[in-house]
């Protein structure tokens, strides 16, 4: 079975997503703000090393409820 081709994103989108995550935005908020539907698995890969403050973590937990 052939693999699906990788999706091309505009230049700078990955770094913009990382900036938004550093601000504490959820994956859904990052997609909404950027105006691009990015799979959560892709976002996770892009931002997995971005550390969130305890307040940001708590906000995301509360937003998921």
């Amino acid at each position: 079975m052939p693999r699906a081709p990788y999706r091309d994103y505009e230049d700078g989108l990955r770094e913009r997503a990382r900036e938004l995550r550093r601000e504490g935005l959820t994956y859904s908020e990052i997609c909404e703000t950027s105006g691009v539907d990015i799979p959560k698995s892709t976002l996770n890969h892009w931002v997995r090393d971005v550390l969130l403050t305890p307040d940001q973590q708590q906000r995301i937990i509360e937003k998921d409820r």
Side-chain angles (χ1 to χ4, degrees):
M1 181 172 177
R3 293 180 74 184
Y6 285 102
R7 206 169 143 188
D8 277 339
Y9 295 101
E10 65 185 60
D11 289 343
L13 182 59
R14 180 179 178 169
E15 189 51 44
R16 178 72 177 135
R18 291 176 58 77
E19 289 171 14
L20 293 170
R21 187 60 170 179
R22 281 190 287 270
E23 292 174 15
L25 272 66
T26 65
Y27 292 169
S28 296
E29 290 170 329
I30 291 170
C31 288
E32 187 176 310
T33 302
S34 67
V36 180
D37 186 25
I38 307 166
K40 289 182 180 181
S41 60
T42 299
L43 282 171
N44 182 53
H45 179 73
W46 288 357
V47 304
R48 65 178 160 215
D49 62 335
V50 173
L51 299 177
L52 299 173
T53 67
D55 287 342
Q56 289 171 330
Q57 291 173 0
Q58 186 61 38
R59 178 187 167 277
I60 289 171
I61 289 168
E62 289 173 7
K63 196 144 179 73
D64 280 344
R65 290 186 184 161

